[in-house]
Amino acid sequence: MRDVAVIGVGCTNFGEWWDRSFRNLFVEAGVMAIEDANLAGEQIDAMYVGNMSAGRFIEQEHIGALIADYSGLATDNIPATRVEAACASGGLAFREAVISVASGMTNIAVAAGVEKMTDVDTSLSTDALAAAADREWEGFVGATFPGLYAMIATDYMHRYPLTREHLAQVAIKNHYNGARNPIAQFQKEITLDTVLNSTMVADPLRLFDCSPITDGAAAVVVAPLEMAKKFTDTPIKVLATAQASDTIALHDRRDVSTLDATVAAGNRAFKMAGLERKDIDFVEVHDCFTIAEICAIEDLGFCKKGEAGRLTAEGYTALDGNLPVNTSGGLKACGHPVGATGIKQVYEAVLQLRGEAGKRQVAGAEIGMTHNVGGTGATVAAHIFGRT
Amino acid sequence: MSVPRFWRKIPQRYNLEGTHCEVCGRYFFPPRNLCPDCRRDGKIVAHTFKGTGKIVTYSVIRTASDQFSALTPYVLAIVELEEGARMTAQVVVENPEDVYIGMPVKSVFRRLGTDGESGVISYGTKFVPA
Ligand SMILES: [Zn+2]
């Protein structure tokens, strides 16, 4: 296998874009990534596109071809493949691009993610997102996506010393970071009162425990490390790519509050990189809900089960803490255009490792990690990156 | 948004008809045709569950998609059946505050939802306090 590096990144502003279409968003992110890599379009050998549910959100399928076409690459006949794994679609699209380059089948590959979620009303987007879980035996009986994570939170809070205030601290931290990220959907800091007084969605999760409905796209370019210096002075090496699966339904899990796919993907990533938890300078985790960030920090092995709430409240995961978590603002404040999220996490990791993260820069960041979850944990992608 | 209608013909929706692996002893609901432990060495047979169990975890859903919005707030739970299988279901109670982890429940046959105002009515299993 060849070593692989990220040589270019691009990301649209995340938000509610009623004046921009799916294809506009994608092209904007794609062009930024290609320009960032100093590439000409004809040098691209393949594209992998993460997208969860364009069929429900904009009633468009065949996304690989659409994106190749509007990127101006259809006449070059490059292979363009859509990758779907619910909210982990972007993470898996990135992994497919890395594998393709590592194998030698491809030299330059673009990994992208895109979702346009605000063209339908909330009821339909709620229903579309519920499709990330088991439609037949969860969604059909009235399980919503926030409802499933709320059941994780109920179980967790029954067994471990996690308070309602600890959960709120996750949102407060991520909004603080989002306020320092120019692409974030929410760029305002919030207080404990904001979270605790927001509308109850599914007990114990309130509106400010949930990531928003978002439009956005992100794209990155990967190349063999040995070629990377031809394009950029600051290639970022992919130290590990890992993926794991678990049961589609939450009720079939060994332990409702432990995402075994996160545990497995994390272990595989650390083994592949030959690194330990203490080597990680920052991590972008999948915080679709505040409880998800708590589980992610523990299941990736950064602390013992039951400790992440207290550590969050103590500032351990803050920008200036021992392990900054979700420097971008996470899904919570940066926004969660489901298929794009996994690529946006890579975008953030690359900016941090290049030292280009502005007001949210983690000083001296050398090694970073990303963690992207599909559904309630049925798919997980984990990646580790390092400066070269 | 419409619900796929063929599901109202699935027999397991109306009776707690699951499966049981005679090799390792595990019970499955929703039914599985392949035992995750024994795989092809397993021996899967039909099993009708007693319908009694207890609540593993729960939430009160306050925002739902259209076909459930008329029911909000409703209690959603993971129920562990006495035989050991777990399933997701609604729990019908007077007051959601009364629900707790470990609460004994039993299954009842109820209307689950409607596909629009005059659409197909779907039925299935809910639970009530035992
Ligand atoms: Zn068996």
Side-chain angles (χ1 to χ4, degrees):
Chain A
M1 275 202 316
R2 301 192 290 185
D3 284 333
V4 178
V6 180
I7 59 167
V9 296
C11 192
T12 67
N13 288 335
F14 280 7
E16 276 188 24
W17 303 127
W18 292 7
D19 55 347
R20 289 150 94 183
S21 72
F22 183 91
R23 60 189 84 182
N24 294 153
L25 287 167
F26 171 77
V27 169
E28 186 185 327
V31 167
M32 283 166 71
I34 289 165
E35 286 182 354
D36 187 45
N38 296 306
L39 274 182
E42 63 272 16
Q43 293 168 283
I44 296 168
D45 298 318
M47 297 179 80
Y48 293 88
V49 183
N51 174 257
M52 171 177 168
S53 203
R56 296 293 298 283
F57 290 123
I58 60 164
E59 298 200 7
Q60 174 73 58
E61 307 287 14
H62 210 174
I63 298 306
L66 172 76
I67 276 173
D69 185 2
Y70 275 78
S71 303
L73 296 171
T75 46
D76 290 329
N77 310 116
I78 68 157
T81 307
R82 173 187 180 171
V83 179
E84 190 277 312
C87 332
S89 299
L92 294 204
F94 178 73
R95 182 171 147 79
E96 290 305 316
V98 169
I99 290 170
S100 171
V101 172
S103 76
M105 289 283 284
T106 304
N107 278 327
I108 310 286
V110 173
V114 54
E115 209 79 51
K116 185 82 178 66
M117 300 171 74
T118 66
D119 289 5
V120 295
D121 66 28
T122 308
S123 175
L124 206 155
S125 55
T126 301
D127 192 65
L129 291 170
D134 188 336
R135 170 66 73 186
E136 197 170 338
W137 296 106
E138 294 182 315
F140 195 86
V141 301
T144 60
F145 203 49
L148 292 165
Y149 272 94
M151 292 202 294
I152 294 177
T154 306
D155 175 68
Y156 188 108
M157 293 169 91
H158 181 71
R159 293 160 60 196
Y160 303 106
L162 178 83
T163 66
R164 193 34 274 195
E165 286 71 22
H166 287 153
L167 277 181
Q169 291 302 331
V170 173
I172 293 166
K173 169 185 67 75
N174 290 350
H175 276 261
Y176 179 92
N177 296 352
R180 282 146 186 81
N181 185 353
I183 66 145
Q185 183 167 8
F186 300 126
Q187 303 196 16
K188 275 208 181 113
E189 292 179 29
I190 57 167
T191 65
L192 189 61
D193 281 349
T194 320
V195 186
L196 298 186
N197 294 326
S198 63
T199 312
M200 189 69 94
V201 175
D203 306 37
L205 301 181
R206 294 177 178 272
L207 188 64
F208 272 80
D209 290 294
C210 308
S211 55
I213 301 291
T214 310
D215 302 327
V220 301
V221 184
V222 293
L225 184 62
E226 74 220 19
M227 288 171 59
K229 285 275 185 192
K230 282 201 292 186
F231 299 100
T232 174
D233 294 334
T234 52
I236 300 302
K237 188 177 173 187
V238 182
L239 300 174
T241 173
Q243 180 185 341
S245 305
D246 201 346
T247 63
I248 183 93
L250 183 63
H251 56 232
D252 284 326
R253 304 277 165 79
R254 179 186 63 77
D255 175 341
V256 172
S257 298
T258 302
L259 282 73
D260 280 344
T262 294
V263 176
N267 286 339
R268 286 170 194 168
F270 280 105
K271 190 175 173 202
M272 184 173 178
L275 292 171
E276 294 176 49
R277 271 66 180 178
K278 64 174 171 51
D279 298 323
I280 300 294
D281 295 318
F282 65 90
V283 57
E284 288 284 299
V285 304
H286 198 90
D287 61 322
C288 48
F289 301 94
T290 48
I291 184 65
E293 177 165 320
I294 297 291
C295 291
I297 293 166
E298 294 169 353
D299 297 342
L300 288 171
F302 291 112
C303 66
K304 282 204 208 98
K305 203 75 200 166
E307 286 184 346
R310 177 180 58 79
L311 288 172
T312 303
E314 289 172 4
Y316 191 87
T317 57
L319 271 186
D320 58 354
N322 290 40
L323 178 72
V325 175
N326 284 329
T327 57
S328 70
L331 288 52
K332 175 70 199 78
C334 197
H336 184 26
V338 281
T341 285
I343 303 290
K344 184 226 68 183
Q345 293 177 325
V346 177
Y347 170 84
E348 176 71 10
V350 168
L351 292 191
Q352 287 286 352
L353 293 171
R354 286 179 182 172
E356 293 174 0
K359 289 179 184 164
R360 60 186 194 289
Q361 180 66 46
V362 174
E366 298 273 338
I367 294 171
M369 184 171 195
T370 61
H371 161 259
N372 188 200
V373 178
T376 54
T379 302
V380 171
H383 289 93
I384 301 177
F385 302 88
R387 291 174 61 157
T388 50
Chain B
M1 198 60 214
S2 66
V3 172
R5 286 163 198 180
F6 54 90
W7 285 342
R8 68 194 155 125
K9 290 210 164 179
I10 291 178
Q12 290 85 0
R13 272 232 182 276
Y14 307 121
N15 304 299
L16 286 177
E17 283 177 15
T19 51
H20 169 54
C21 175
E22 287 189 334
V23 175
C24 69
R26 277 184 71 178
Y27 289 88
F28 304 107
F29 190 89
R32 287 179 185 266
N33 300 329
L34 194 63
C35 173
D37 289 338
C38 310
R39 306 209 172 101
R40 283 184 299 133
D41 293 331
K43 184 165 186 291
I44 298 287
V45 296
H47 173 80
T48 301
F49 286 85
K50 284 183 270 184
T52 49
K54 63 178 198 310
I55 290 180
V56 174
T57 186
Y58 66 96
S59 176
V60 185
I61 309 297
R62 296 174 192 273
T63 307
S65 57
D66 274 347
Q67 75 254 30
F68 294 102
S69 60
L71 293 174
T72 55
Y74 57 88
V75 176
L76 184 78
I78 292 177
V79 172
E80 183 165 296
L81 297 168
E82 217 175 297
E83 293 91 335
R86 289 180 174 188
M87 62 186 289
T88 300
Q90 289 182 34
V91 180
V92 187
V93 282
E94 287 274 312
N95 184 358
E97 311 282 308
D98 296 340
V99 176
Y100 59 94
I101 288 175
M103 182 180 187
V105 290
K106 63 181 183 198
S107 65
V108 289
F109 179 67
R110 289 285 161 87
R111 174 177 164 146
L112 282 180
T114 310
D115 176 18
E117 262 180 43
S118 50
V120 175
I121 297 170
S122 58
Y123 295 93
T125 301
K126 291 190 186 181
F127 285 84
V128 295

